Amino acid sequence: RAVAAAVLAVPIALSAVEAASWGTTTGDGTLRYVTDAQGRALILRGLNTASSAKSAPDGMPDYPESMVEQEHRLLGTNFVRFLIQWRNVEPRPGRYDDVYLDNVAERISWYAKRGMYVMLDMHQDVYGPATNGNGAPAWATNTDGLAAKAQDPWELGYIQPGTLRAFDHFWNTTGQHPELRRHYANAWKHVAQRFADDPAVLGYDLMNEPWGGTLPGLAFERGPLSDLYQQTTEAIREVDLNKWVFLEPRAVGVNWGLASGLRAIDDPRPGEDRIGYAPHVYPLPLDIGGQYTGSSEKWTDRTLRAWSRAVTATARRQNAPIILGEFGIDNTKPGALQFVRSVQSTAEAMRAGQAYWSADPNDGWGPWNSDKTPSELAPVLARAYPRAIAGTPTRLRYDETTATLTFSFRDKTAVTGSTEVWLPPEDFPRGATVTASDAPGSWRQTWDPESRSLSISTPRTGREHTITITPAR
Ligand code: 9MR
């Protein structure tokens, strides 16, 4: 721990420098948003579903439809980062498992039924089962006979010799396996073909927490990782011109607030690019077992600020909307709930989507206890937010101490439909009092206590609208 603490200071000091060199402005409204069929900007909130899929032979998470219903009702989620795996998509080279994709489609329909959106995440940790991780099929795992033993903590598996070699072959750093990246891109093409016309699917998160094997961080991102993203985007566009392609940076370093070296990816679709950015945040002080208290809280807060600047800079370079694809913590630890609130307000200030790690009910991290009843985290995740905004969002903030939700947006042509806000019963037991910057009488609101959703229609004024929502007395 002492060594780890010493190592800690270095990346955090570096992150400030790296982030500054990319420029650091936020909040000027030039960020992009994923929009719905009515052109409204979506603010996405949901859970990663689920870690249990990693080891299930059929690749399905242990998360029945009743749990989707429970989270949508209690947490107000409108989004899921749904785990899929290469080993299930392409169990034999060039052979795809369409029964697997049918099962995925059925799960997606559970979200669709509730008006929720899905980002498919091609998950991997520590390469694949053949290196004691998950994700890649055994046929695509070349360790050259080197050991890849399971480690505790699991992240150390990334530096097992056999795991490093499997990644080096995948990225073709070794020059021996140029076919593997092609397989990966084509596996995604097959997935995209299956879901291109499914309106609940927003897009594709191309690779979970990429790791460059022996190739160091920035060189890895600028080189083979960006190359894979370009190649995969092109493969997807052969069959699907409309879904968003989400990029993740390298995990090590960027999850701690360092800048990413990803190149901008060229989207061959006609019209505006649809490339999104879906980084994770796992501040190093907590990653190495610290609690969100004392000096580790201070360094974590600094990490969150550096992370927010670095992520915003990368997103601007790509003109990409941002979804925080993972953040999470063992919420039985002191300070954990406060940490979650800090991340939520950081992501809010960025008007980014957010997916909590994870929906699994049995590891102390999720919003559910092992008997699937809500854990102490549930009311923290059940946070008021505008699900869809009828324009371009420019500001978003929720103050949980006063239960005040404030957001601003500008009119945008081609938006139909009204702004939809979800309000949790804990903070808004009797509904809400709304004030809007528009002239009284020119906007309309309706409250549906059943779905806890407030709909607000504002006139087109050409000016910025600001809406403030507080609990009704
Ligand atoms: O929480 C997950 C843990 O139970 C698993 O052992 C581990 C290895 O598969 O993965 C953990 O989930 C991680 C996710 O896959 C990637 N981002 C970080 C998550 C938390 O460590």
Side-chain angles (χ1 to χ4, degrees):
R1 288 283 177 260
V3 175
V7 172
L8 190 67
V10 179
I12 290 175
L14 263 178
S15 69
V17 177
E18 280 196 66
S21 70
W22 290 113
T24 57
T25 30
T26 51
D28 66 3
T30 60
L31 287 174
R32 285 190 63 204
Y33 296 88
V34 175
T35 50
D36 68 6
Q38 294 166 283
R40 301 178 298 179
L42 292 173
I43 303 292
L44 299 161
R45 300 270 170 107
L47 303 174
N48 278 272
T49 306
S51 210
S52 53
K54 295 171 181 174
S55 53
D58 68 354
M60 288 300 118
D62 179 10
Y63 204 70
E65 185 172 8
S66 58
M67 289 306 288
V68 176
E69 172 62 19
Q70 173 166 310
E71 66 160 83
H72 179 63
R73 201 163 35 80
L74 297 185
L75 312 182
T77 50
N78 66 343
F79 177 62
V80 61
R81 180 172 179 261
F82 190 85
L83 277 71
I84 61 172
Q85 291 174 90
W86 185 18
R87 72 165 166 97
N88 292 106
V89 176
E90 192 182 2
R92 306 251 165 288
R95 296 295 178 87
Y96 303 112
D97 183 348
D98 289 319
V99 173
Y100 170 67
L101 294 182
D102 288 345
N103 289 336
V104 172
E106 188 195 9
R107 302 291 179 131
I108 291 173
S109 76
W110 299 349
Y111 295 95
K113 234 191 259 181
R114 295 166 174 86
M116 298 169 73
Y117 295 98
V118 181
M119 176 171 77
L120 295 174
D121 150 42
M122 195 71 87
H123 208 85
Q124 70 81 32
D125 296 304
V126 194
Y127 200 74
T131 47
N132 277 300
N134 57 80
W139 62 262
T141 309
N142 301 296
T143 58
D144 297 341
L146 297 170
K149 300 205 181 87
Q151 300 293 305
D152 183 16
W154 66 270
E155 291 95 328
L156 288 176
Y158 275 115
I159 54 172
Q160 282 285 295
T163 310
L164 287 168
R165 187 62 58 84
F167 275 105
D168 285 349
H169 281 311
F170 177 78
W171 299 115
N172 201 28
T173 312
T174 58
Q176 293 170 29
H177 287 282
E179 80 288 0
L180 289 179
R181 277 196 256 165
R182 209 159 48 232
H183 273 287
Y184 194 87
N186 284 332
W188 258 122
K189 178 179 167 180
H190 191 77
V191 173
Q193 195 150 29
R194 180 71 176 73
F195 296 108
D197 297 321
D198 188 330
V201 176
L202 283 181
Y204 313 122
D205 180 346
L206 297 189
M207 183 181 280
N208 180 66
E209 300 195 340
W211 166 245
T214 61
L215 199 59
L218 289 174
F220 161 58
E221 286 186 297
R222 287 182 182 139
L225 181 59
S226 295
D227 290 344
L228 176 79
Y229 286 165
Q230 185 63 53
Q231 182 178 1
T232 306
T233 302
E234 286 167 15
I236 288 171
R237 289 299 180 234
E238 287 174 32
V239 294
D240 180 346
L241 290 173
N242 293 321
K243 302 296 187 202
W244 288 85
V245 169
F246 288 95
L247 313 179
E248 292 194 35
R250 76 184 198 275
V252 174
V254 180
N255 288 4
W256 306 331
L258 298 197
S260 164
L262 275 184
R263 304 195 310 258
I265 298 306
D266 179 30
D267 186 345
R269 78 184 289 274
E272 256 190 323
D273 287 4
R274 287 201 184 152
I275 307 285
Y277 190 45
H280 300 176
V281 70
Y282 287 103
L284 190 52
L286 308 181
D287 232 11
I288 58 173
Q291 299 175 344
Y292 191 63
T293 51
S295 73
S296 134
E297 176 179 351
K298 183 181 86 180
W299 287 107
T300 296
D301 287 345
R302 288 186 181 184
T303 299
L304 290 178
R305 288 195 290 272
W307 178 87
S308 154
R309 286 192 298 267
V311 162
T312 304
T314 306
R316 279 184 205 288
R317 203 155 75 219
Q318 178 74 62
N319 195 20
I322 302 167
I323 295 179
L324 166 53
E326 278 188 29
F327 69 109
I329 189 166
D330 176 347
N331 57 62
T332 61
K333 282 192 187 164
L337 300 180
Q338 198 48 42
F339 167 68
V340 171
R341 291 188 193 100
S342 296
V343 179
Q344 287 172 317
S345 53
T346 299
E348 248 151 39
M350 299 161 73
R351 283 102 66 209
Q354 29 177 302
Y356 183 82
W357 184 271
S358 65
D360 297 84
N362 47 23
D363 60 359
W365 284 49
W368 318 124
N369 300 315
S370 41
D371 64 1
K372 298 184 174 169
T373 55
S375 74
E376 277 182 46
L377 178 68
V380 177
L381 292 186
R383 188 173 169 100
Y385 73 108
R387 281 176 168 162
I389 296 180
T392 303
T394 51
R395 203 160 67 97
L396 173 60
R397 182 177 142 80
Y398 184 63
D399 179 348
E400 71 269 350
T401 57
T402 59
T404 305
L405 176 67
T406 314
F407 58 97
S408 306
F409 61 99
R410 286 194 305 262
D411 290 331
K412 195 178 156 204
T413 46
V415 173
T416 58
S418 46
T419 296
E420 305 285 340
V421 179
W422 184 78
L423 300 171
E426 288 82 0
D427 289 359
F428 296 84
R430 285 175 290 279
T433 301
V434 183
T435 53
S437 58
D438 305 290
S442 66
W443 48 279
R444 246 175 296 283
Q445 75 188 63
T446 54
W447 167 239
D448 176 12
E450 179 54 31
S451 63
R452 304 212 58 85
S453 123
L454 177 69
S455 143
I456 306 168
S457 56
T458 40
R460 271 175 200 277
T461 59
R463 288 189 307 274
E464 189 171 72
H465 311 274
T466 293
I467 292 178
T468 305
I469 298 171
T470 52
R473 307 249 155 249

